[in-house]
Amino acid sequence: MTKKIIPPSELIVNPDGSAFHLHILPEQLTDNIILVGDPGRVNMVAEFFDTRTFEVSSREFHTIGGTIGGRPIMCLSHGIGPDNIDIVINELDALANIDFATREVRPNHRTLTMVRIGTSGSLQPDITIGTPVVAAKSLGFDGVLNYYADRNTVADLEYEQAFCEHTHWNPLWARPYIVNADEELVKQIAGDDMHLGNTISAVGFYGPQGRELRLPLANPDLNRLIESFEFRGQRVTNYEMESAPLAGLGRLLGHRCCTVCSIIANRYNNNANPNYKQGIRQLIETVLARL
């Protein structure tokens, strides 16, 4: 079999041998990874580590490595949005499966386990503030996965078609893709006390999630149509911005990925809780115990 060599223009390696954006060295990579959006939240996660082995920061990407119960673990912030997930997952996979010295794809695949812990807005009246929702299935409005070959092999095409028809999907928008998170990891993290969700990854926070401030919306009825959509007895549960590209790219690259979010706003009932940090701390502690 011909070895695949990645050109310098496609995988940029920093002079110190670290990944271009993340500034993580191959030897620092751990198999278990917690992902968070806020760089400041990395410190909150690391408070639960028994030891700390390294810390690096570059732009919005802040990483602390350490151990819990003798097992290596790291927490990495990805910033806000699906485009950042494209950077983070590709560079983490490169650290695991490409030799940075020779630029050869390694013959033996290394599988990473990545759990994203975040915040989210509920789209259903009964999914209340404070509820932890694990994205068993994600709906990507961002279009990131559409740029990769074999996208359809990991997508639920029947669900996708039904959703587009029900919502009268605007042809000017990227076509949504529907992907499952790693099923075993979802069971492991959700246990019997978290809600299993069908979670939307929006491409923005305001208009793309149906929030109208000064600019009118292209489709002001979209959220109402999403709330009423059902497929195979499943409703769309919540909005966030990263679960779908994480689940989709994770599947294509052969990694175990899922997202769990604490509900901090209910879009259906028009209420929100800005004082959510203690709930996030409790969710982090639960996830780390189950990982």
Side-chain angles (χ1 to χ4, degrees), residues 274-288:
N275 301 310
Y276 58 85
K277 290 189 177 180
Q278 184 56 37
I280 287 291
R281 182 180 294 275
Q282 293 170 352
L283 182 58
I284 288 168
E285 186 173 13
T286 299
V287 169
L288 289 174

Side-chain angles (χ1 to χ4, degrees), residues 28-33 72-74 96 110-114 256:
Q28 293 172 324
L29 182 70
T30 62
D31 289 338
N32 290 321
I33 303 167
I73 191 169
M74 56 188 268
R110 179 180 176 185
T111 300
L112 305 176
T113 296
M114 294 175 254
R256 303 172 70 235

